[in-house]
Structure formats: structure tokens, C-alpha cells
Amino acid sequence: MESVAERVAELTGREVDSTTSLGASHEWHLHRAVLDDGRALFVKAVPSGRGSAHLTGVFRAEALGLDWLGRSFGSPVPEVVGWDTRTLVTSWVEQREPTPHAAASFGHQLAAMHLAGAETFGASWDGFIGPLPLDNTPAQEWPRFYAEQRLAPYLRKAADRGALTPGDVRLVEKVVDAVEELAGPPEAPARIHGDLWSGNVLWQDEGAVVIDPAAHGGHREADLAMLALFGLPYLDRVRDAYNEAAPLASGWRARIPLHQLHPLLVHVCLFGAAYRTTTLDAARAALHGGG
């Protein structure tokens, strides 16, 4: 049975001095590896003989997404060192304490990444958000893309697992049906992270590095709404700096619940009814313009 050190050596072409377990996330294990030249790396690996068949695309999606995000100016993502269907190796990121200065720098970084743009909404690769498939079929119009490829699939999955009642489903369906009215001014596809909760932000002295993307061409307000969902240190500084570099369209605050509805439905699918109330509150707020 191939060890993590052997996988990393094969993908990097270097000997591995040591590996340290960092626990697990979903169906993969996390490690810190140190190469024979002293370089530290971060490793995600599906244990040999374990993992669902559909997970063979997870690391491909993440590697392609990181590479794509990394082509934007000053992109705040780690380097992809190597990958295969069961392993992803990236550069190691030493975290720092968040500061107002770093938050402002991160706001500028995020704006630059978004402004790098995308050819369409969606992406040319099959996506994942955590272990769940994410439909990246390219689309030209955001409202229907969001309704049909970001809300409806996870609403069905949440209902199928019994985490939402028929009445809950009808409420969220009202948002799905009204997305064109709720979407705000048209936006060009932005180069977004797609799963930008605070745990995926690693602070640096200057800005931050973002990890674990569900990258695709999307609505730039989605990343900012996700940052607000579970709280981020100095979020106001991030948003103020973002607005300096790439002003948000009028009414963006009222649309935060609309953009939070997708990640909340994903959480219902993954973790069950614990997220039901928050999801329904977001749906009601979206229908009432954030109020």
C-alpha cells in the first residue's frame, strides 16, 4: 500500500524527509510534508482503498481551480506542486494573525482576482464544493445559472435526505423562481473562489492566501457574502478596500442573503437540519431584499 510520503515523492520528484498528520476533512486526510531540500508542503490524500468513486474528480477540480485563480494579478492562492486523482500537493502557507492592514490588502487582492474575469459563468472543468459535485456547465446569464446550477440541485438533495420539509422547499423555490428580479444589475462573470468562508482565508503580513476553492466564473458578490456568513476578522476593512478597487453595484447589501443561500443549502446537504433555520431565514431575507 503506497504511503503519503511515496505519493508526494512521485508527484514532486523529490525525496520526502517527513510527513505529519493534520487530521481529516470530509473523506480525505491532511498532512504536512517536508522535502529533502527543506521545502514544506501541504497534502490532501484519499487513503488507499477508501473514498467514494465520485471523489476522483475532487483534486482535479481543486488543482485546475487554483491554477486558474493563480493567473490573476497578485492572486492570493497557494502554488499547486502536483496532483493526481487521490492526492493534491500545494505549497505550505504559514499563517499570521489578522490585522487591519492585512485585511485592507486582502480586499485589494480579492478585487484584482475578481476583475481578472471569466469567459462565462461556470467553468470548463467539472466542479466540486467540498465532496459534493458542482455543476459548472458554462452559461451566459447569471440569474438562471444561479437558480438552476447553484440553488435547485442542492435544494433537491436537501429535500431528498429529509433535512427540509415540503413547506421549506416551497419557500426556497420562491427564491429560485424570482432570481431574475432579485439579482440586481447585470454583472460580467468574475473569477471567484466559490467557497470563501473564513476558514479558507489564511492571513499573511500583507493580505491573505485563500485555499480550498470551488473556483468558477460567478458573481463577485458571492465571495463577499460567503465571507460574511460565518464571520471574518476585519470584514469591514476588507469590503471597504474592495470597494475602493472595484465598487460594488447599488443594493449589494440587500443581496447578501441571496448569495448566502447557495452555501447554506450545501451545508444542509452535508450536515443536515442543523442549518435549516439559517437557510430559511436567508430565503425569506432574499425575497424581502435583505430585510
Side-chain angles (χ1 to χ4, degrees):
M1 186 177 296
E2 191 177 35
S3 69
V4 169
E6 289 170 330
R7 291 198 214 174
V8 173
E10 183 177 341
L11 290 170
T12 62
R14 306 286 311 208
E15 292 297 318
V16 177
D17 275 356
S18 65
T19 61
T20 304
S21 174
L22 303 175
S25 176
H26 301 297
E27 296 183 49
W28 43 87
H29 291 186
L30 312 177
H31 305 266
R32 185 179 190 267
V34 179
L35 301 181
D36 58 359
D37 61 0
R39 185 181 185 190
L41 301 173
F42 179 72
V43 184
K44 289 183 177 181
V46 178
S48 297
R50 294 176 57 187
S52 305
H54 80 275
L55 289 180
T56 57
V58 169
F59 296 150
R60 177 180 185 271
E62 185 170 345
L64 293 177
L66 285 169
D67 178 72
W68 182 65
L69 295 176
R71 292 181 225 155
S72 60
F73 177 74
S75 176
V77 296
E79 174 193 357
V80 176
V81 179
W83 66 275
D84 60 23
T85 58
R86 301 185 67 80
T87 314
L88 174 68
V89 183
T90 64
S91 55
W92 179 263
V93 180
E94 288 288 351
Q95 297 187 61
R96 302 289 187 262
E97 289 297 316
T99 65
H101 173 75
S105 296
F106 177 46
H108 292 148
Q109 288 175 304
L110 190 60
M113 188 175 79
H114 287 171
L115 292 175
E119 292 184 4
T120 65
F121 296 103
S124 61
W125 56 86
D126 294 333
F128 283 84
I129 184 162
L132 298 180
L134 187 70
D135 184 359
N136 277 341
T137 303
Q140 296 300 320
E141 300 294 332
W142 183 79
R144 293 323 303 168
F145 169 80
Y146 188 63
E148 296 169 8
Q149 295 172 230
R150 293 296 179 264
L151 296 183
Y154 303 97
L155 177 60
R156 289 193 296 269
K157 187 180 292 289
D160 288 345
R161 69 169 294 177
L164 295 179
T165 69
D168 299 339
V169 172
R170 286 192 293 272
L171 173 61
V172 179
E173 284 177 339
K174 290 180 181 179
V175 180
V176 173
D177 294 340
V179 164
E180 283 91 347
E181 304 163 28
L182 303 173
E187 290 256 353
R191 190 166 301 212
I192 73 169
H193 179 282
D195 192 11
L196 197 55
W197 71 290
S198 56
N200 285 342
V201 178
L202 307 184
W203 291 101
Q204 303 290 281
D205 293 331
E206 297 287 337
V209 171
V210 296
I211 60 170
D212 296 350
H216 62 279
H219 200 302
R220 62 201 182 104
E221 291 176 10
D223 275 351
L224 293 164
M226 187 70 166
L227 287 175
L229 185 56
F230 300 114
L232 181 80
Y234 306 111
L235 178 59
D236 286 344
R237 295 295 293 268
V238 174
R239 289 195 296 213
D240 288 348
Y242 185 101
N243 256 316
E244 291 172 3
L248 292 162
S250 175
W252 65 267
R253 288 184 185 275
R255 291 186 292 274
I256 290 174
L258 174 65
H259 291 287
Q260 290 179 340
L261 192 53
H262 168 238
L264 284 169
L265 284 169
V266 168
H267 275 70
V268 174
C269 293
L270 290 174
F271 306 114
Y275 285 92
R276 172 181 174 268
T277 299
T278 309
T279 300
L280 300 182
D281 287 346
R284 294 187 189 95
L287 289 168
H288 293 91

